[in-house]
Each structure stands twice: as C-alpha cells, then as structure tokens.
Amino acid sequence: MTGKHIILGVSGGIAAYKIATLVRLLIKAGTEVQVVMTPNAKEFITPLTLSTLSRKPVISEFFTRNTGEWHSHVDLGLWADVMVVAPATASTIGKMAHGIADNMLITTYLSAKCPVFVAPAMDLDMMAHPSTTANIALLRSYGCHIIEPATGELASHLVGKGRMEEPENIVKALQDFFATRADLAGKKVLITAGPTHEKIDPVRFIGNYSSGKMGYALAQEAADRGAQVTLVSGPVALSIKHPNVNVVNVESATEMLNACTEHFADSDIAIMCAAVADYAPEECAESKIKREKSKAPTLKLKKNPDIAATLGKNKKRGQILAGFALETDNEIVNATDKIRRKNLDFIVLNSLRDPGAGFRTDTNKITILDAIGKVYPYPLKPKSGVANDIINYIVNIRRIK
Ligand code: PMT
C-alpha cells in the first residue's frame, strides 16, 4: 500500500481507542493518513495522539479558528485513494446514509470519489436495530465496503455483535482490496441486473422480486478492480456512482436483449445476473384494462427471447459468459442443464431454499458450477462478498485460459 492516501474518519465510540493502533499500522504499511474526527470522537481519543502518530494535523472543524484556515472537504475527497470510517457509530452511519452533512467527516465522505470502507462499532442492540440494518444496507447500495463488526464482549459487558474489527484485520481488508484492485484493468465487462417488466397495459406489468442488489454489487466489484463496466439494468430502486460504470436502463426483456447485443461483441466478460421474465403478454393494451363484472380477462403470453442463450450463440474465443440460476428444486441438475443450453462458461446457482439467499436479501449463498462438472460451494455472505468471490473466480479462469 506504499504511497496510498487514506482518509481515516473517526467517529465518537469507545472503539476509537483502537484507532491509535490502526494509524500506526497504516503508517508502517507506507500509507499517508489524514485523520478526520467528529467532535465526539475527540472525547474518546485525543487529536494530539492521532496527529503525532499520523504525522499530520488532525482535521475536525471546517476551519481552524486562530488562523482562519479553511479545510476543503472537496480537496480531501480528491486526494484520497480510499476513505475508512472507523469506528463508525450508529449516528455516523445514519448520517452517511442520509447525507446529513453536519460535520467534517460527513462532508468529506459526501465529496469522496474514492472507495469507502466502513467499520461499524456499537452495542449489540443498536447494531441489531432495524434502522441500523437499513442504513448499512443503504451504504452498501452506495458502494461502501462494510467491514463487518466482530462478535464478542462489548464495552457494555454484554456479549454480541458490534465490536469494531481489529485494526490488523482492517489493514488486511485494505491490503486485499489494493492487491486485487487492478486485476480487471483494461477489461470490458457487461453485467445485467434486476427484473424485467413486461407490460400488460399502461398501469400493469409482469415482473418478479429481483431488487438488482446482486447485479449492482457485481458491477461495483468489477469497476473497483479496474474494469469498464456496462450495467444493463431492469427497473430497480438502486443507483451506482462510479466513474467506470455506464448504466443502461431498460424495462423489458426485449430492451435488455437489444442493449446486451449492442455491448456483448465488445466485452471480455458478460455476467447475466438479471431475472429476466420468461414470458410477456402477447399484446400490451393501449388503455387500462377495466374490471369486468362477469369474468376475469385471460392473459395470452408469448415467450421472451433468451438473452444469455443468444449471447452464447455469438460467443467468440476468449470471451467469458456467465449465467445465474435461481432454482427451487433439483438445483444442480437444472443449473447444469442451463450451462449447456446457453453455452455458458459457468453458472452461479442460488437456491430459494437457502435462508438469506436469492431475491431482495443483502446476502446470498452461491455454488459455482463449471462446464466440465466441477462444483464450488461458498458460504452465506453479504452480496458484496459474493461479488468478490465471483470476480475472483473469473480472474482465476482467465489466468488458466
Ligand atoms: O436482484 P436481487 O434481489 O439481488 O436477486 C438476485 C437474483 C436472485 C435475481 C440473482 O442472484 C439471480 O439468480 N439471477 C438470475 C435469476 C434467473 O432468472 O434465473 P433463471 O434460472 O431463470 O435464468 C438463468 C439464466 O438465464 C440467468 O443468467 C438469466 O439472466 C438468463 N435468462 C433467463 C431468461 C431469459 N429469458 N433470458 C436470460 O438471459
């Protein structure tokens, strides 16, 4: 990590005492560290300690009162290769999630163009509260990397999840990140995400429960590792802000097929993560279908194009085409059959029988199956971790090919 610029945002929790060790380790690893503290953080550890260890004055106010010097959060955001918020209290996580820019740490976060790591630390009940869970999910959806807190004895003497990850492991997470960061540099990656909506009339459609979380996590991961990503997205409530990601919004399977066909020829890797509707209404009514007293209308369906299979037919030597399989029964047999029918290099199986896997959840549990019958199971993880596993798998097969 030699020469990397790190903004270390420290918020006011008891785990702030560990930040002295974190700063020491980061400096030892050859990085430049700029500490930004919230006003409350200074109650837990002195700015003097952290400025001495980081060899830079700590920033905690928008300007220095005696000199009138203005601290530009925008310049700081541009300077950094990475921002780490540790410890991240429930309050700071909430402010980051909702853009409440009332201190230097949050304004810096909002201006930062670099990847952001967040190491939550709080008591177990605060950690488990639905508002904290929802705010962390929001941060993930903005592309933040969450360094999960550990389980153990907390400052309250209660035992549970909420201990900030140890400084050594935070440094390890950053080292891993920088080590893999450039391994897709120069590669073009096409990713589909979300559901498709097939119009019945101007107010109704056929759709499914896909939230886009898995596909967006893949786009974030591939872009973080240097790829130029085209993300063809069905209608979802997510957004992604990354200089390497070009989002193409589509609604129906036909629109998704057209966008994918346009970009596939030029792609090194394509990952079909979208839950594409297999059928669409034969016709879309021009006006809203009225409720009839006597009988319910019958919907005539037609088959949608199979996007993955279409790309599979046109796959050139050296291109990698991956699919997903969402199954409820006979998982391995059905997924294996899809590899063959769609001419995939591998398929990522997720089963709705596994708690925490599949649609809408922040986690997923996958098994990768390849074209020669090898099976690689993975444990349940946040979708960001799953995306990391899938991209690692691709990088490895590219090395072998
Ligand atoms: O979006 P999330 O809420 O995070 O949920 C993630 C997910 C469950 C949607 C994702 O992990 C997933 O499993 N996506 C694929 C779902 C699916 O449609 O599976 P399938 O078994 O029906 O399709 C197999 C493959 O063919 C998929 O790669 C699919 O994109 C592709 N396909 C399917 C139908 C079709 N007409 N065209 C296709 O290209």
Side-chain angles (χ1 to χ4, degrees):
M1 295 201 290
T2 310
K4 296 287 182 214
H5 293 171
I6 299 181
I7 298 173
L8 180 53
V10 185
S11 64
I14 183 64
Y17 82 91
K18 295 183 184 175
I19 297 308
T21 309
L22 180 58
V23 173
R24 264 188 70 81
L25 292 172
L26 289 172
I27 295 290
K28 234 173 131 181
T31 67
E32 261 189 65
V33 179
Q34 175 62 63
V35 177
V36 179
M37 299 176 87
T38 64
N40 281 341
K42 293 190 283 184
E43 303 291 332
F44 290 93
I45 185 162
T46 68
L48 182 64
T49 306
L50 297 184
S51 61
T52 307
L53 293 172
S54 65
R55 302 166 195 159
K56 269 187 203 299
V58 162
I59 298 174
S60 67
E61 309 290 340
F62 291 105
F63 54 88
T64 310
R65 279 177 207 283
N66 49 359
T67 62
E69 188 197 351
W70 168 255
H71 300 301
S72 168
H73 50 276
V74 177
D75 288 349
L76 255 185
L78 291 172
W79 169 84
D81 293 300
V82 76
M83 178 169 184
V84 182
V85 183
T89 59
S91 161
T92 287
I93 289 171
K95 287 180 186 178
M96 289 170 73
H98 297 282
I100 300 170
D102 65 353
N103 65 44
M104 191 65 189
L105 191 159
I106 307 293
T107 47
T108 306
Y109 160 68
L110 291 176
S111 317
K113 290 214 166 20
C114 57
V116 178
F117 284 72
V118 180
M122 64 197 80
D123 214 46
L124 73 166
D125 293 317
M126 294 174 81
M127 188 69 213
H129 195 279
S131 68
T132 310
T133 314
N135 286 335
I136 290 179
L138 272 177
L139 291 188
R140 275 194 215 286
S141 76
Y142 304 155
C144 292
H145 302 260
I146 307 296
I147 303 177
E148 287 290 330
T151 298
E153 191 181 347
L154 303 165
S156 60
H157 300 299
L158 294 171
V159 175
K161 186 174 176 181
R163 273 165 70 124
M164 189 185 82
E165 187 49 281
E166 292 305 324
E168 289 76 6
N169 293 338
I170 295 178
V171 174
K172 169 93 177 44
L174 295 175
Q175 280 168 334
D176 289 350
F177 174 73
F178 283 118
T180 56
R181 196 165 157 63
D183 55 9
L184 286 182
K187 300 293 169 212
K188 291 193 174 155
V189 180
L190 170 66
I191 296 171
T192 64
T196 62
H197 287 180
E198 313 297 333
K199 277 189 170 166
I200 298 170
D201 68 13
V203 297
R204 305 179 180 93
F205 58 83
I206 296 175
N208 59 66
Y209 291 119
S210 172
S211 63
K213 287 178 184 173
M214 190 64 249
Y216 274 62
L218 278 163
Q220 178 76 39
E221 178 69 19
D224 278 350
R225 292 166 76 155
Q228 284 301 326
V229 177
T230 300
L231 175 62
V232 179
S233 174
V236 296
L238 302 176
S239 63
I240 189 164
K241 183 188 84 172
H242 197 298
N244 291 5
V245 181
N246 169 35
V247 182
V248 180
N249 289 306
V250 296
E251 191 171 339
S252 65
T254 306
E255 286 173 20
M256 189 171 273
L257 172 70
N258 291 341
C260 287
T261 313
E262 187 186 330
H263 292 279
F264 181 60
D266 203 21
S267 301
D268 300 286
I269 298 158
I271 311 173
M272 304 286 99
C273 183
V276 184
D278 284 313
Y279 299 96
E282 232 175 45
E283 279 172 8
C284 167
E286 269 179 29
S287 318
K288 182 179 172 190
I289 299 169
K290 294 281 174 227
R291 183 184 165 91
E292 282 187 36
K293 278 197 191 115
S294 49
K295 61 178 175 59
T298 303
L299 210 55
K300 272 203 164 174
L301 301 178
K302 61 177 183 204
K303 256 190 161 179
N304 262 340
D306 188 322
I307 302 167
T310 309
L311 302 189
K313 278 197 194 115
N314 297 315
K315 190 169 71 170
K316 292 191 297 268
R317 215 179 132 78
Q319 279 184 309
I320 291 180
L321 177 61
F324 267 72
L326 181 66
E327 302 292 342
T328 52
D329 310 284
N330 289 331
E331 286 100 333
I332 301 273
V333 174
N334 289 337
T336 307
D337 188 48
K338 284 175 188 166
I339 301 180
R340 189 187 47 77
R341 279 195 284 120
K342 298 175 194 247
N343 192 23
L344 305 172
D345 291 272
F346 70 91
I347 200 156
V348 181
L349 165 66
N350 41 191
S351 169
L352 288 183
R353 283 175 186 264
D354 287 324
F359 289 131
R360 294 190 287 190
T361 51
D362 289 323
T363 51
N364 205 359
K365 184 169 183 299
I366 60 157
T367 302
I368 293 183
L369 311 174
D370 73 9
I372 54 166
K374 287 211 175 118
V375 177
Y376 304 91
Y378 293 82
L380 183 76
K381 289 184 184 184
K383 281 182 173 162
S384 54
V386 173
N388 179 261
D389 288 337
I390 294 169
I391 300 294
N392 284 346
Y393 180 85
I394 290 175
V395 168
N396 282 332
I397 49 177
R398 285 193 68 85
R399 274 197 201 111
I400 296 162
K401 274 189 170 183

